[in-house]
Amino acid sequence: MTYAVRYYTKTGNTKKLAEAIAKELGVEALPISEPVNEPVDYLFLGNSYYAFNIDPEVKSFVTSLDKEKVGKIVNFGSAALLNSTYKKVKEAADKAGIAMDEKEFHCKGVISFTPFFVGKCKRSN
Ligand SMILES: Cc1cc2nc3c(=O)[nH]c(=O)nc-3n(C[C@H](O)[C@H](O)[C@H](O)COP(=O)(O)O)c2cc1C
């Protein structure tokens, strides 16, 4: 299996999750400004809610993915109040013709002004 990890963050929480996931997978966690050039079976995509939506940059990143290079997207991220961003990311993934894995990872994440992630994490399934 081949993996890539990309993330979008405004306040750093998603980067911390991405780095933990990437470490387990033995790959580097990169921001979504880094395109996925090599074919991968699974793209782990970290993202969060901002004003009840995912950032437009995340939508553009997902819709511009090459379906020949990305097998499936695994969604992960955090939000202060809302549940996961899965449906929002899936809307973009559908446009790109890329499947979403039904498994995902979602945390409660607070807006933090400290260098420490303050959250409560649980796997969806
Ligand atoms: C500008 C801004 C808007 C946010 N809007 C929402 C929101 O609408 N719903 C929600 O549940 N959380 C919201 N949050 C909380 C973030 O989703 C949460 O803190 C997340 O962990 C931030 O991830 P990041 O540190 O990777 O940017 C918002 C945070 C920021 C900074």
Side-chain angles (χ1 to χ4, degrees):
M1 287 288 175
T2 52
Y3 307 103
V5 177
R6 294 292 185 278
Y7 64 87
Y8 177 88
T9 187
K10 283 191 194 294
T11 63
N13 293 343
T14 315
K15 185 178 183 197
K16 288 176 189 170
L17 294 175
E19 285 171 347
I21 289 167
K23 192 177 169 192
E24 289 299 315
L25 297 173
V27 298
E28 198 179 351
L30 296 171
I32 58 171
S33 53
E34 297 286 336
V36 179
N37 292 323
E38 301 299 320
V40 288
D41 295 314
Y42 290 95
L43 170 63
F44 284 71
L45 178 63
N47 59 93
S48 296
Y49 272 113
Y50 307 103
F52 305 100
N53 212 332
I54 57 174
D55 193 273
E57 273 187 52
V58 175
K59 288 184 190 174
S60 307
F61 172 76
V62 175
T63 52
S64 66
L65 285 169
D66 183 348
K67 67 179 177 187
E68 303 302 322
K69 287 189 178 155
V70 177
K72 268 188 175 181
I73 294 172
V74 182
N75 196 56
F76 71 90
S78 63
L81 299 169
L82 298 172
N83 287 323
S84 106
T85 57
Y86 188 96
K87 283 184 186 164
K88 299 281 184 191
V89 174
K90 188 172 185 304
E91 282 170 21
D94 285 347
K95 286 182 191 160
I98 298 173
M100 299 273 292
D101 200 293
E102 75 274 8
K103 289 183 183 170
E104 63 168 334
F105 185 86
H106 178 73
C107 290
K108 288 288 177 211
V110 299
I111 302 167
S112 172
F113 297 102
T114 77
F116 303 105
F117 175 73
V118 184
K120 192 175 176 186
C121 298
K122 75 171 188 325
R123 243 172 63 175
S124 69
N125 48 24

